[in-house]
Amino acid sequence: MQKIDYKKYLTITNLMIVILLIFYLLDKYLPLPKDYSGFDCWNDELPPAVNYIFGFCGGLLMNSMAVGKSIVGGMDIYRQFTSMFLHGHILHLIANLAGLYFIGNYTEKKYGWWLTYLIYFIVGFMQFLITDPLFAAMAPEKSAENYAMPSCGASGGIFALVGISLAALFFDIKSFKKIDKPTLIVAAIYGVLTTYVVSFGWTTVCHNVSMILGLIFGVIIILPFFLLKKGKYAQTNNLPDL
């Protein structure tokens, strides 16, 4: 019987998955305080069982951490960061956890955990600042509707990781063969499904902005090493493989 190496599962990405799951459960199923008047996820048009199964109940963390004009203080700048820890419903959560598991672990192995999640949070924060005015300019008739509901999710950060992964392939196309098939398949399905099938509009702009920002950051990070390794000033073999 082959011994399972549990150490390979001890990654920052897998820790992040656990954190996102905990935040989801706390947000959806923490009892609301008495006389609570903030944002409530409960949908009166659905049966109670559906609300509980899909998490359309509670919303205590959503009220204080998500972005949205329908929430008191919903446009505070800190929410651009905290909203990345929340998800609207169970399908939203599952899609992002699956995408993060494969894409995040690949990127963490390629770039290291600290650089991976530095980009993840920087781009996730920046994309809100860019996406909202960009979408309002592209589709002014839909911007009011978009702002009416809270905005949250980890997909902006995940698409940033897709971007820096593509940047690595740009400098070393042969490394494409080193990506395992499950990661390629999930990355392709995640990108197409979450952007162009589930919703088309603000989400599409958000994901495209995140991926482009991730691609730009990836090129900025890799380019100095590429030039040093390929150029006449390369004096060491300790630079990371590209």
Side-chain angles (χ1 to χ4, degrees):
M1 183 176 179
Q2 187 177 3
K3 187 177 180 180
I4 300 175
D5 183 12
Y6 291 101
K7 289 184 179 180
K8 70 178 182 179
Y9 297 105
L10 298 177
T11 65
I12 297 300
T13 294
N14 292 341
L15 175 61
M16 180 64 68
I17 287 172
V18 173
I19 292 172
L20 294 178
L21 179 59
I22 291 173
F23 267 80
Y24 176 81
L25 294 174
L26 291 176
D27 178 49
K28 300 305 179 186
Y29 301 111
L30 272 178
L32 298 177
K34 186 178 180 180
D35 300 325
Y36 175 79
S37 59
F39 179 78
D40 189 345
C41 295
W42 189 271
N43 189 337
D44 292 324
E45 298 180 359
L46 297 174
V50 174
N51 277 277
Y52 282 109
I53 292 171
F54 287 94
F56 297 130
C57 49
L60 197 59
L61 299 186
M62 188 81 69
N63 191 63
S64 58
M65 296 173 63
V67 178
K69 290 186 176 179
S70 61
I71 303 174
V72 176
M75 301 308 291
D76 291 342
I77 193 69
Y78 77 89
R79 292 172 180 264
Q80 319 291 342
F81 174 78
T82 57
S83 61
M84 297 175 65
F85 291 92
L86 303 178
H87 290 85
H89 50 77
I90 190 66
L91 298 180
H92 186 199
L93 176 73
I94 291 173
N96 276 347
L97 293 191
L100 183 60
Y101 177 79
F102 288 96
I103 299 167
N105 276 305
Y106 168 77
T107 312
E108 184 176 339
K109 186 177 179 181
K110 187 78 175 176
Y111 284 90
W113 70 267
W114 69 270
L115 191 53
T116 293
Y117 283 94
L118 182 64
I119 300 299
Y120 175 90
F121 284 114
I122 287 177
V123 174
F125 179 86
M126 290 178 60
Q127 59 90 13
F128 275 106
L129 304 178
I130 297 173
T131 299
D132 287 346
L134 184 60
F135 182 70
M138 294 173 61
E141 72 284 356
K142 295 181 180 179
S143 60
E145 178 184 350
N146 175 66
Y147 288 137
M149 290 299 294
S151 177
C152 62
S155 56
I158 297 172
F159 270 81
L161 302 187
V162 172
I164 62 175
S165 298
L166 291 175
L169 294 178
F170 176 77
F171 287 96
D172 182 15
I173 192 62
K174 293 180 181 179
S175 64
F176 182 81
K177 297 179 181 179
K178 299 178 183 178
I179 306 176
D180 58 89
K181 288 184 179 180
T183 299
L184 284 174
I185 293 171
V186 170
I189 293 175
Y190 177 81
V192 174
L193 185 66
T194 60
T195 301
Y196 300 106
V197 176
V198 175
S199 58
F200 188 84
W202 184 89
T203 302
T204 302
V205 177
C206 165
H207 292 167
N208 288 342
V209 166
S210 297
M211 188 164 67
I212 292 171
L213 286 174
L215 185 62
I216 292 171
F217 274 106
V219 170
I220 292 173
I221 292 165
I222 296 173
L223 187 59
F225 292 104
F226 178 82
L227 294 176
L228 286 169
K229 190 173 182 180
K230 303 295 183 181
K232 62 181 181 180
Y233 296 107
Q235 303 289 332
T236 178
N237 293 323
N238 294 326
L239 295 173
D241 291 334
L242 298 175

